[in-house]
Amino acid sequence: MIQGPEPEATRRSAGITESSRASRGWWDRNADDYQIEHGDFLGDDRFVWGPEGLDEAEAALLGPAAGLKGRSVLEIGAGAAQCSRWLAAQGALPVALDLSRRQLQHARRIDQEPGRPAPLPLVQADAAFLPFADASFDLACSAYGALPFVADTGRVQREVRRVLRPGGRWVFSVTHPVRWAFPDEPGPEGLTAASSYFDRTPYVEQDDRGLAVYVEHHRTLGDRVREIAAAGLRLVDLVEPEWPRWNEQEWGGWSPLRGRLLPGTAIFVCVAE
Ligand SMILES: C[S@@+](CC[C@H](N)C(=O)[O-])C[C@H]1O[C@@H](n2cnc3c(N)ncnc32)[C@H](O)[C@@H]1O
């Protein structure tokens, strides 16, 4: 296969449309590798919040598993919908949404394995433009889906609030904001702050024409709290999973070495007012 030059990594602004287009292309091109590399850790029907390995079965951030039966749940940035499959096994009624067609094809591939129950409802859409009526869902969740990649995350929060019924929970995990200041490396080089935590300029990889092919957006902890409150959501918990002794597995820049010293994941637990 002929491949073009390596994308150039830079820091520059990237708006809603450019970020969305870059994410869709990147995840379509990289979904196969992502599922090959992380599929075993994710499991086909496990709900894990991040590289530390905190399971929803243990954490119950959406509420006790016994209370999920019959509840409608929107999973945002679902990838191969592993979390939705766990929710369905608890009797919930999940809808798995993702921007990437290829990620959703992996969801369908798993659902079509022999012995699987009915396939999950899958929706290809952008988290900033949810194609659902107001107050359609009892719960919403996202494990590292969409929010790190979206330019207007305040808009995502407002969209989630709109489609949730009052009192509904919205739980999402993202890279812990303090990580932004450190090189994204699993080894010792990832332990020394190299850039400002307060610099919100996006991380962009661009091709030789200057078009973004990968974008990550940063929000400080305070930014996230303000966006949540402004959307009409109430923050009820902020979970920072500690790196467990049993987990020796690296995931990109997340590693036992860094995990013992720095938080890697932030999980925001919100309720629709
Ligand atoms: C790190 S993966 C997480 C996938 C899955 N939640 C998991 O834990 O494996 C991020 C996912 O977010 C999706 N995504 C990125 N930008 C999105 C957007 N604007 N709207 C919806 N999904 C998006 C990607 O396609 C990808 O599947």
Side-chain angles (χ1 to χ4, degrees):
M1 188 169 75
I2 299 168
Q3 294 194 327
E6 282 289 300
E8 172 204 16
T10 185
R11 298 280 292 272
R12 67 161 170 85
S13 64
I16 296 177
T17 309
E18 186 181 22
S19 300
S20 181
R21 192 182 298 129
S23 291
R24 185 172 168 178
W26 195 90
W27 285 100
D28 278 346
R29 287 190 303 280
N30 289 280
D32 293 4
D33 288 347
Y34 179 85
Q35 298 300 337
I36 288 168
E37 190 175 348
H38 302 299
D40 282 350
F41 184 83
L42 291 168
D44 285 345
D45 40 22
R46 177 183 174 196
F47 189 145
V48 62
W49 283 109
E52 294 81 7
L54 178 67
D55 273 286
E56 175 60 11
E58 173 196 339
L61 301 179
L62 288 164
L68 294 171
K69 195 161 192 268
R71 314 287 302 281
S72 54
V73 191
L74 175 61
E75 186 189 1
I76 293 178
Q82 289 91 345
C83 303
S84 285
R85 227 167 271 111
W86 180 85
L87 288 163
Q90 313 312 309
L93 306 169
V95 172
L97 176 143
D98 202 282
L99 184 63
S100 160
R101 179 178 167 81
R102 189 62 187 158
Q103 285 280 61
L104 293 174
Q105 284 174 340
H106 280 284
R108 192 53 83 232
R109 168 184 59 77
I110 297 171
D111 278 348
Q112 285 173 344
E113 287 169 356
R116 291 265 166 212
L120 296 163
L122 307 177
V123 174
Q124 187 183 9
D126 192 317
F129 301 90
L130 295 177
F132 305 106
D134 298 358
S136 305
F137 293 95
D138 297 315
L139 301 163
C141 61
S142 180
Y144 277 82
L147 282 153
F149 312 105
V150 171
D152 187 351
T153 44
R155 186 183 164 93
V156 176
Q157 301 294 348
R158 291 193 297 280
E159 278 291 85
V160 172
R161 170 64 195 88
R162 182 181 66 73
V163 304
L164 272 181
R165 300 190 180 109
R169 277 191 170 224
W170 159 227
V171 186
F172 66 94
S173 63
V174 290
T175 306
H176 197 291
V178 304
R179 288 276 170 123
W180 188 254
F182 295 84
D184 191 26
E185 298 289 343
E189 62 278 35
L191 296 176
T192 305
S195 62
S196 170
Y197 167 79
F198 300 103
D199 182 358
R200 278 82 158 178
T201 312
Y203 169 83
V204 176
E205 293 176 9
Q206 58 188 16
D207 65 16
D208 53 353
R209 293 168 299 165
L211 297 175
V213 294
Y214 180 83
V215 180
E216 271 186 39
H217 291 272
H218 171 57
R219 298 286 178 275
T220 67
L221 276 175
D223 294 339
R224 294 264 183 226
V225 170
R226 280 184 290 279
E227 287 183 352
I228 288 165
L233 296 153
R234 183 163 43 88
L235 182 66
V236 295
D237 200 358
L238 170 54
V239 179
E240 297 164 294
E242 294 189 31
W243 196 274
R245 279 176 187 277
W246 60 263
N247 188 355
E248 287 302 319
Q249 198 165 322
E250 289 185 0
W251 177 318
W254 289 261
S255 63
L257 173 74
R258 296 179 85 204
R260 280 193 283 270
L261 297 169
L262 289 168
T265 298
I267 312 174
F268 295 81
V269 183
C270 313
V271 174
E273 304 260 55

